[in-house]
Every structure is written in C-alpha cells, then in structure tokens.
Amino acid sequence: MKVLWLINGPSRRAINKLKLSKQNPVGWIDLLCDMIADKNDIDICIVFPQHKSHKILEYHSQKESYYAYYEDAKPREKISQKNVSLFKNIISEEKPDIIHIWGTEYSHALEMMYAFNEPNRTIVSIQGLISVYAKYYFTGLPRNIVYRYTFRDLLKRDNIYIQKKKYFLRGKMEKEVLNLAKN
C-alpha cells in the first residue's frame, strides 16, 4: 500500500535527505515512519512546504519519498491553483492508495483535497481548529490592545484585529476540508 502524507513542515530525516537548512523539524514524523518501515507492505510518500528553494525538491528510496515544494512562510488565506496542479502531478507520479492530511490549518490541506478528490481515500487529522480559535482571538483583551499597532505590527502590516480576520478566512478553508473529508 502506498500512503501519501501531507505535513506542515519537514521531518529531521527530510531535512538531511534534501539538505534543507534553517527549518524547524516536525520530529514525530520520523518516529512514525520508523514504526511503519517494519511493515513490508507500506510505502510512505511525504509532501511538505519549504521556504527556501523555488523549485520542488525530491528524494526517493525504496520505502519512502519526499517532496518539498516552495511556499511562502506567511500563511495564505486562499488556495493556490499552482499548488493544486503540483499536488495532482505528485499524486499522478506516486499513485497513493490513501492520502493522510496532518492538520487543516493551512491552505495546502484544501489544495490537496481538491487535487486528490477522493474523499473516501482521504484521512484528515486535527489537533485544534483555527475556525474555533478565531471566535476567541480577542478574549480578555482590552479594545485599545486589539486595534493598536506595535512596531512589529507596522513591519508585518497587521495587528491583532487583522490577525483574527486571517484566522477567520483560514477557518473557512479548514471547514471546507472537514466537510469534504469522509475520514
């Protein structure tokens, strides 16, 4: 069986294999891969965003494959048709039996749902819900804090009020992922 995982960042193994630098690893993925490696009938393909190279980085071995595609470090509030096409190409090349999307908080989760379009063969895992977080983003904050701009906010061109709006938009995509998924 071939399983494709969409994760939010590289594992330590992927960082080493693809020679990625200055990226925070998703450490638990390697442990899970090691546990699955004992199963002779399961191959893993891992797809994740990286923020350095504008070209797709690939590594393939007998039991595992990695695809690191470029994505800006700043989360998007809408999907990219370019990523949908990229994911379709990876799916076509790898021919996974199942796609497991680890997290719904980023636009690439919805992009993968559109690319695969097989809800019965897609698994979605969540740890929290951006759409719920958005509702409580201001909780306990005084009005003058919510609407003010700090030096950081000026540099990033946002503030707490704008961040809540971004969470709300990302939450709409997240809800769509959850509505499309059957598992």
Side-chain angles (χ1 to χ4, degrees), residues 82-93:
K82 180 181 170 190
N83 281 355
V84 173
S85 295
L86 171 72
F87 292 161
K88 282 182 180 181
N89 290 339
I90 293 170
I91 291 165
S92 176
E93 188 173 320

Side-chain angles (χ1 to χ4, degrees), residues 1 5 8 14 28 34 41-42 47-48 53 58-59 68 84 90 100 115-116 123 125 147 163 181-182:
M1 177 174 23
W5 288 345
N8 294 332
W28 55 269
D34 290 342
D41 59 344
I42 300 176
V47 179
F48 60 89
S53 175
E58 297 180 38
Y59 172 84
V84 173
I90 293 170
H100 189 160
F116 192 46
I123 300 167
S125 295
Y147 294 101
Q163 290 167 22
K182 300 290 184 211

Side-chain angles (χ1 to χ4, degrees), residues 91 95-100 116 118-123 182-183:
I91 291 165
K95 297 175 182 38
D97 297 300
I98 295 171
I99 291 183
H100 189 160
F116 192 46
E118 295 272 355
N120 290 324
R121 293 176 33 207
T122 304
I123 300 167
K182 300 290 184 211
N183 303 295

Side-chain angles (χ1 to χ4, degrees), residues 5 13 29-37 44 46 64 66:
W5 288 345
R13 187 175 295 138
I29 287 291
D30 289 333
L31 179 61
L32 200 52
C33 281
D34 290 342
M35 292 169 65
I36 290 172
I44 298 289
I46 300 175
E64 59 190 14
Y66 297 96

